[in-house]
Amino acid sequence: MSSEINVLVAEDEEELRTLLLEFLELSGINARGSESVQTFMAAYTDEPCDVAVVDLGLPDGCGHSIVSQLAATTNKPGIIVLSARCSNPDRIAAYENGADIFIQKPASPKELVFAIRNLHDRVVVTNTAPVPTAEAETNWQFNDDLAELRHRA
């Protein structure tokens, strides 16, 4: 289902950010980068992305703030946290704030590409799916033990 994928990366280490962006581009993914919370949010405001890749350790704040701000948007992008900060509290906080995937650094670039592609396919379906109507909801029926779902014709 993959279509054009637009990714925005928040990574303060310039060399790593450059390598990530180059690898994503070589993998057919449109990628832009930023080095801080402020520049990331400004870039996202100018042009939203389909998937965000966020480091937690940024110079002007924590990547958790990016994650929570993105999660509160109307068309929430897919959110991948890519960080060396991998303590259990950091991982839990990332998911509580709205992250979809947490990948520990150092990570395989191929793993990141597949995570981006798979998450993108789910985000596109979710953000473009029609909102169910009350009429559509009444066409389904659960039996008493919820073990069987039947469609009423």
Side-chain angles (χ1 to χ4, degrees):
M1 165 178 234
S2 291
S3 58
E4 186 173 281
I5 303 173
N6 294 301
V7 172
L8 183 54
V9 176
E11 172 57 61
D12 62 320
E13 295 180 36
E14 185 177 359
E15 186 176 344
L16 178 56
R17 185 176 62 249
T18 301
L19 289 172
L20 279 172
L21 296 175
E22 287 176 5
F23 191 84
L24 295 175
E25 290 287 340
L26 287 171
S27 300
I29 295 170
N30 297 324
R32 301 175 288 143
S34 64
E35 68 281 351
S36 66
V37 172
Q38 183 179 2
T39 58
F40 181 95
M41 293 311 301
Y44 182 81
T45 301
D46 288 344
E47 184 181 344
C49 60
D50 302 313
V51 177
V53 177
V54 181
D55 183 17
L56 295 181
L58 298 171
D60 62 341
C62 183
H64 287 301
S65 65
I66 292 175
V67 173
S68 60
Q69 289 178 69
L70 293 177
T73 61
T74 304
N75 287 321
K76 175 189 173 236
I79 303 170
I80 298 172
V81 172
L82 177 65
S83 184
R85 284 178 41 185
C86 58
S87 69
N88 196 46
D90 274 322
R91 296 174 77 89
I92 298 296
Y95 288 120
E96 284 179 334
N97 289 328
D100 298 294
I101 299 171
F102 193 110
I103 299 175
Q104 179 179 342
K105 287 180 187 174
S108 160
K110 285 185 179 182
E111 176 185 5
L112 181 60
V113 166
F114 282 109
I116 289 169
R117 287 181 178 156
N118 291 342
L119 185 55
H120 170 263
D121 288 350
R122 284 194 296 274
V123 167
V124 167
V125 168
T126 302
N127 287 345
T128 59
V131 177
T133 63
E135 180 181 305
E137 292 175 15
T138 61
N139 289 333
W140 293 95
Q141 172 184 344
F142 290 96
N143 70 3
D144 290 338
D145 65 2
L146 297 178
E148 182 183 331
L149 177 65
R150 294 188 310 245
H151 184 268
R152 290 186 282 181

